[in-house]
Amino acid sequence: MDPCRNSADTTASSSHARTRAKETRADQDRVGQDRSGADRTGADRTGQERRALRRERLLATATDLFTTRGYPATSIERICATAHVSIRAFYEEFEGREALLIALHNDVARAGMEAALTVLSDPGMESAGARGRITALTRSYLDAVTAEPAATRIAFVEVIGAGRAVEEHRLLWRSLWSDFLSGEAERAVERGESAPRDYSLAIVALIGAINELVAHWARDATAFSRELLADELVPHALATLGIPTEDVPTEDVPATDIPADGTPADGTSADSLPTDGTSPDATPADATPTDEGK
C-alpha cells in the first residue's frame, strides 16, 4: 500500500464528503425556508380567518345584548365577556362601543340601499314610470332592512341618542337617501309625472316618516306584518313625491320627450356607499340626535 496514495485518497474522499455535507445542509436549509414560508402563509391566513370570526362573534354578541339590554346598558366589558374575547382584541377590531354600533347600523343601511339599486337596475325599470319605480324600490328597501328584526331594532331604535359619531353616521345616510330620492323626483318631473317644484323638504319629512314607522315595527315585530308596513309606506312615498297612486288620463299629465333612464337619477351606485362605519368630518358641530334611522 502506498501511504502517500492512501493519504491522498483519504483526503480527497474527506473533501468530497465535506462538500456533499455542505450541499445537503444547503438543500435542507432551502427546504426549511420554503416550508417556513408556506407555514407563515398558512399561519397568516389562519390568523386572518380567526380575526374575521372574532369580529363576527363580537357583532353577533353586541346585536343580542343591544336588543335585550339596550345599547346604553351594555358595556364593552360585558360584550367581551359574553363573546369570550379579550378587551385588547376588541380594540383591535373597533375604536370603541360607538364604532361597533356604527358597523351594525351600516350593515342594515347598506343592505337597504343596495336592494333599491338592484331593483332599479332591472332592464324592465328603464322605461317604468315613477309610480312603478318608487313602489318597487320602497318595497325592496323595506324587505332588506326588516329581514332580521334584531338588526332592524339596532339600526332604527338603539342608534337614537347613542352619541355624536353615531348621529353623524346617520346624517350621512340621510343625506345619501335625500340625494337618491331627489333624483327620482327630478326624473318624475322630467317625464311629466310630477309637478315641478323643490321636493327637498318633503323628502326629509318622508325619510323621517319611514324611519319612525320602521322603528315602530322593530319595537314589536309581531304587532303587524312587514307587508302591512310596506302597504302603508308606498302610498306615503308616492304622495310625497307628487306621484298619483293610480293611473291618470294622459291629457291631464303633460308628457315630455325626455327618455327614461334605468339608473338612479342622482348617479348613486353600490360602490359609493359607506363601508367602514366611519362618520364624515364635514358634519355640522351642532348636529343633534333626531328620529331618523339613516
Side-chain angles (χ1 to χ4, degrees):
M1 178 181 292
D2 185 347
C4 295
R5 176 66 179 270
N6 185 55
S7 176
D9 290 343
T10 301
T11 301
S13 177
S14 298
S15 176
H16 179 69
R18 285 195 297 271
T19 301
R20 289 296 301 157
K22 290 180 181 178
E23 292 175 350
T24 300
R25 285 195 296 272
D27 289 341
Q28 290 174 341
D29 289 343
R30 282 195 295 272
V31 171
Q33 290 171 357
D34 292 342
R35 188 172 297 160
S36 176
D39 290 344
R40 283 197 300 272
T41 301
D44 290 344
R45 183 167 58 250
T46 302
Q48 292 171 357
E49 292 171 352
R50 283 200 301 267
R51 181 167 180 175
L53 290 173
R54 182 177 67 192
R55 180 182 177 87
E56 287 304 313
R57 192 160 67 250
L58 286 169
L59 291 169
T61 300
T63 297
D64 181 59
L65 292 174
F66 290 166
T67 54
T68 55
R69 296 173 54 85
Y71 174 78
T74 303
S75 65
I76 291 176
E77 290 77 10
R78 179 173 288 275
I79 294 171
C80 291
T82 305
H84 303 291
V85 172
S86 69
I87 293 179
R88 175 183 175 182
F90 175 93
Y91 282 106
E92 289 178 357
E93 301 299 331
F94 304 101
E95 292 183 0
R97 196 172 55 135
E98 285 188 353
L100 175 57
L101 182 61
I102 286 172
L104 291 170
H105 174 274
N106 199 67
D107 285 346
V108 177
R110 186 180 179 88
M113 178 64 84
E114 288 181 342
L117 292 172
T118 297
V119 75
L120 291 186
S121 68
D122 187 285
M125 285 293 164
E126 293 182 5
S127 58
R131 187 173 76 242
R133 287 170 66 92
I134 296 299
T135 298
L137 73 85
T138 300
R139 290 189 180 278
S140 294
Y141 167 80
L142 291 173
D143 282 346
V145 300
T146 60
E148 297 291 339
T152 306
R153 180 180 177 87
I154 288 175
F156 289 86
V157 178
E158 297 303 325
V159 293
I160 305 300
R164 179 186 178 87
V166 178
E167 184 60 23
E168 287 176 345
H169 187 72
R170 293 173 62 236
L171 289 174
L172 169 62
W173 273 104
R174 188 179 72 179
S175 176
L176 288 173
W177 273 107
S178 181
D179 291 343
F180 182 91
L181 293 174
S182 292
E184 290 297 309
E186 291 172 4
R187 180 181 184 276
V189 170
E190 291 172 350
R191 289 170 54 92
E193 297 174 287
S194 294
R197 75 177 186 87
D198 183 356
Y199 286 92
S200 57
L201 292 180
I203 287 172
V204 171
L206 172 61
I207 293 171
I210 292 174
N211 291 331
E212 182 54 38
L213 193 51
V214 174
H216 181 66
W217 175 85
R219 291 184 181 97
D220 183 6
T222 63
F224 56 96
S225 67
R226 298 162 65 198
E227 291 74 18
L228 181 59
L229 177 65
D231 290 343
E232 186 66 34
L233 283 175
V234 167
H236 189 66
L238 293 173
T240 299
L241 299 180
I243 302 168
T245 56
E246 297 179 354
D247 289 332
V248 177
T250 56
E251 60 269 17
D252 294 340
V253 182
T256 68
D257 293 329
I258 298 177
D261 186 349
T263 59
D266 74 325
T268 303
S269 67
D271 292 338
S272 66
L273 305 184
T275 58
D276 58 1
T278 56
S279 55
D281 295 330
T283 304
D286 61 348
T288 55
T290 63
D291 62 353
E292 293 86 0
K294 306 180 185 67

